[in-house]
Amino acid sequence: QQQVKQSPQSLIVQKGGISIINCAYENTAFDYFPWYQQFPGKGPALLIAIRPDVSEKKEGRFTISFNKSAKQFSLHIMDSQPGDSATYFCAASSGDKLIFGTGTRLQVFP
Amino acid sequence: KAGVTQTPRYLIKTRGQQVTLSCSPISGHRSVSWYQQTPGQGLQFLFEYFSETQRNKGNFPGRFSGRQFSNSRSEMNVSTLELGDSALYLCASSFEPYQETQYFGPGTRLLVL
């Protein structure tokens, strides 16, 4: 019940395309859903986050879509760029720690 | 402001040995959390320290331990290393106990042979 399931494991997208990464959870006590971006040799960095009282949050080219009834949330990267090539982690929290998904390696080709 | 620093960055040990990793949080941050990152399991929470006290602990065996000093610097120790302990160990800091926005260090990559 504490798991966060993330898919796909890897994603290849052409420059300018849309990258979509999905996550699902079981624990209805989760009330904070962040996405982290990690470049090789670096620690994860917070990209964007959402709470269950909204269905969508957009920051620049990054959008989180949240479906509370389905217990799913997704990250959309519009106009994907080679500089977006990184590993993306979804996570969920109920106020005491972050539970992470297993990560998606995104490669954006020019 | 300097970010979270972790030392050493890379470490090679053999099975049965023990290892100590260090984390210095962002100046002013008093909470330090540790995570283990592996390709198969992703990021898994190890424990969190605040004001020199362990606040929270993940589902790891007792071989994994940690501590925090009065200057908020933290160390984690793994005793009797196993091959499966090979991983990237990340620490993250925040000002208060478990804040949703955590700042991660670059990690220590541990290889157990």
Side-chain angles (χ1 to χ4, degrees):
Chain A
Q1 202 183 21
Q2 282 283 72
Q3 279 187 323
V4 177
K5 295 182 180 178
Q6 183 173 347
S7 63
Q9 211 171 14
S10 63
L11 186 58
I12 299 174
V13 173
Q14 200 157 17
K15 179 183 175 182
I18 302 173
S19 304
I20 302 174
I21 306 170
N22 301 298
C23 284
Y25 64 97
E26 289 294 325
N27 188 349
T28 54
F30 288 147
D31 61 2
Y32 176 70
F33 301 88
W35 285 89
Y36 278 80
Q37 180 188 54
Q38 184 179 27
F39 292 104
K42 304 285 187 183
L46 179 64
L47 189 62
I48 186 173
I50 198 168
R51 295 193 187 279
D53 54 346
V54 296
S55 60
E56 186 175 284
K57 183 174 181 181
K58 184 176 180 179
E59 289 183 4
R61 296 184 295 107
F62 300 90
T63 300
I64 299 179
S65 297
F66 188 84
N67 186 329
K68 189 174 180 178
S69 60
K71 291 185 279 188
Q72 295 175 347
F73 58 111
S74 59
L75 176 70
H76 295 234
I77 306 174
M78 311 300 288
D79 188 27
S80 299
Q81 299 296 312
D84 297 330
S85 297
T87 300
Y88 292 81
F89 293 93
C90 63
S93 169
S94 57
D96 63 347
K97 60 180 177 289
L98 285 168
I99 307 296
F100 284 89
T102 50
T104 296
R105 187 181 174 206
L106 171 65
Q107 295 175 276
V108 182
F109 285 94
Chain B
K1 202 182 243 186
V4 177
T5 57
Q6 292 187 244
T7 57
R9 292 293 310 276
Y10 305 92
L11 209 47
I12 300 175
K13 292 285 187 179
T14 55
R15 278 182 300 174
Q17 286 187 310
Q18 74 165 19
V19 67
T20 299
L21 312 181
S22 179
C23 172
S24 292
I26 291 172
S27 178
H29 285 193
R30 298 180 295 165
S31 171
V32 174
S33 296
W34 288 89
Y35 294 84
Q36 181 194 63
Q37 183 177 4
T38 58
Q41 300 295 320
L43 281 142
Q44 292 186 289
F45 173 76
L46 279 156
F47 29 65
E48 181 202 0
Y49 285 86
F50 179 79
S51 291
E52 303 177 63
T53 302
Q54 187 180 90
R55 278 193 73 247
N56 207 347
K57 190 178 191 305
N59 190 24
F60 277 82
R63 299 185 298 107
F64 292 81
S65 63
R67 60 178 175 168
Q68 186 179 36
F69 302 94
S70 58
N71 62 358
S72 296
R73 189 177 71 86
S74 177
E75 289 181 347
M76 68 163 281
N77 183 276
V78 188
S79 62
T80 320
L81 283 165
E82 300 177 359
L83 296 179
D85 297 333
S86 295
L88 181 68
Y89 290 90
L90 293 156
C91 81
S93 77
S94 59
F95 184 70
E96 293 291 346
Y98 179 65
Q99 282 186 297
E100 290 165 345
T101 301
Q102 298 193 3
Y103 298 86
F104 281 84
T108 294
R109 185 163 296 282
L110 171 65
L111 177 62
V112 182
L113 301 175

